[in-house]
């Protein structure tokens, strides 16, 4: 089972691990100049945004790996930079 909790995926569990690594790498690089506390918060938000995109693609019946692991990671970073948050209706 993948760290994100997806056990049944169209392409197996390797895709989940690759997106996790891609999100970590892209987010760490994108937020490297932030203060430590802000960087950790941004990393967590990027992970949540990527997980949400991954889950949404699976629910739509699409293979997230074929859509593009790095695209999902870059969109997650972009969402954080634009202030979009997962599960927060007040901001």
């Amino acid at each position: 089972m993948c760290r994100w909790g997806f056990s049944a995926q169209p392409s197996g569990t390797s895709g989940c691990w690759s997106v996790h690594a891609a999100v970590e790498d892209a987010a760490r690089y994108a937020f490297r100049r932030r203060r430590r506390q802000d960087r950790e918060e941004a990393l967590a938000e990027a992970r949540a945004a990527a997980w949400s995109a991954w889950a949404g693609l699976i629910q739509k019946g699409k293979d997230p790996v074929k859509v593009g692991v790095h695209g999902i990671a870059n969109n997650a970073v972009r969402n954080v930079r634009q202030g979009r948050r997962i599960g927060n209706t007040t901001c």
Side-chain angles (χ1 to χ4, degrees):
M1 181 183 285
C2 175
R3 182 175 177 180
W4 286 356
F6 299 123
S7 59
Q9 301 178 40
S11 63
T13 59
S14 63
C16 183
W17 289 110
S18 63
V19 77
H20 181 71
V23 170
E24 288 291 320
D25 292 344
R28 285 190 191 284
Y29 182 78
F31 306 128
R32 69 190 182 279
R33 291 193 174 98
R34 291 190 180 189
R35 292 182 319 158
R36 184 170 186 253
Q37 300 92 333
D38 296 337
R39 185 174 54 242
E40 292 299 322
E41 181 69 24
L43 285 170
E45 287 292 332
R47 284 185 210 114
W51 177 85
S52 177
W54 187 270
L57 287 168
I58 288 176
Q59 286 178 349
K60 292 178 184 177
K62 297 183 180 183
D63 184 3
V65 176
K66 287 184 181 178
V67 170
V69 172
H70 294 284
I72 293 171
N74 289 331
N75 284 336
V77 168
R78 188 178 324 135
N79 284 346
V80 173
R81 284 185 172 163
Q82 292 176 349
R84 297 179 182 162
R85 302 186 74 169
I86 303 297
N88 186 357
T89 59
T90 61
C91 292

